[in-house]
Amino acid sequence: CYSVGKRIKLPAAAEAKSVSVRPAASIAENLRVYRAACGHYLKAWGKKLGPAFRRNAESYVDKYLPDNKALIVFKNGVPCGLYSYLPYKSDSKNICNHVTWHNLFPGLSLAEKSAAKYQAAVWLKKTSKRPISVSLDTFEKEYFDFFAGLGLRMFRLLVERR
């Protein structure tokens, strides 16, 4: 998926008093929430993931985590989601902001998910001054819908053998 940062369409505004967001206060906090996000993601989708995810998950910490911008989602003060992006040189040599994490942890109600996604969309629109890209797996229908709703469109399909 790909879009121009300034042209991100915001979803309908949604609120949930139990959900709040803020940028990561430090690399250490970002790392803690990233590791929790990885754990939840692997538990939910591990059997469907190709080798690229496993290969890149640990190198991400050293190579990319220090350079990314992260937004942490909280439910009643406890981290329950992570959205992040970092500058990335695409195949066409253009620099874009690549969304590296876009996951909410299990246990959120539909209203809480909607509120978190709305706040993440506002954050992306406000902070990303470059075009945005994101890589999604075929089983992530919820996020295909989310990013399509923001105005991103698919332009490349990568097929990977397990």
Side-chain angles (χ1 to χ4, degrees):
C1 294
Y2 175 89
S3 178
V4 177
K6 287 290 189 182
R7 287 198 252 152
I8 290 176
K9 298 179 208 167
L10 293 178
E15 280 189 45
K17 292 184 187 214
S18 58
V19 172
S20 62
V21 298
R22 70 165 167 76
S26 66
I27 291 175
E29 181 183 43
N30 191 3
L31 178 61
R32 275 193 309 278
V33 178
Y34 165 75
R35 290 223 162 106
C38 266
H40 289 293
Y41 193 77
L42 283 169
K43 187 173 183 181
W45 305 112
K47 292 179 182 174
K48 294 183 177 187
L49 292 171
F53 178 83
R54 288 178 176 81
R55 197 172 46 244
N56 294 328
E58 278 309 310
S59 66
Y60 175 83
V61 171
D62 296 325
K63 279 173 98 173
Y64 303 114
L65 190 115
D67 296 328
N68 79 18
K69 288 186 182 261
L71 183 75
I72 300 173
V73 180
F74 295 89
K75 178 179 178 178
N76 298 322
V78 178
C80 66
L82 178 66
Y83 290 84
S84 63
Y85 68 83
L86 55 88
Y88 177 78
K89 192 176 284 190
S90 67
D91 294 341
S92 61
K93 307 298 181 222
N94 295 324
I95 296 179
C96 61
N97 285 329
H98 187 72
V99 176
T100 54
W101 277 98
H102 48 62
N103 300 86
L104 297 171
F105 301 175
L108 295 176
S109 69
L110 191 56
E112 290 166 337
K113 284 182 179 184
S114 295
K117 288 178 183 178
Y118 173 74
Q119 292 178 55
V122 168
W123 174 74
L124 280 170
K125 183 172 181 139
K126 182 179 175 184
T127 63
S128 179
K129 305 303 180 204
R130 296 184 179 110
I132 292 176
S133 69
V134 63
S135 298
L136 299 170
D137 288 296
T138 56
F139 50 81
E140 293 182 292
K141 183 180 178 340
E142 180 180 352
Y143 283 98
F144 271 105
D145 294 344
F146 172 69
F147 285 108
L150 299 183
L152 279 74
R153 58 185 171 79
M154 186 168 58
F155 77 98
R156 179 174 60 183
L157 178 66
L158 174 67
V159 178
E160 183 179 69
R161 185 182 299 177
R162 284 193 210 186

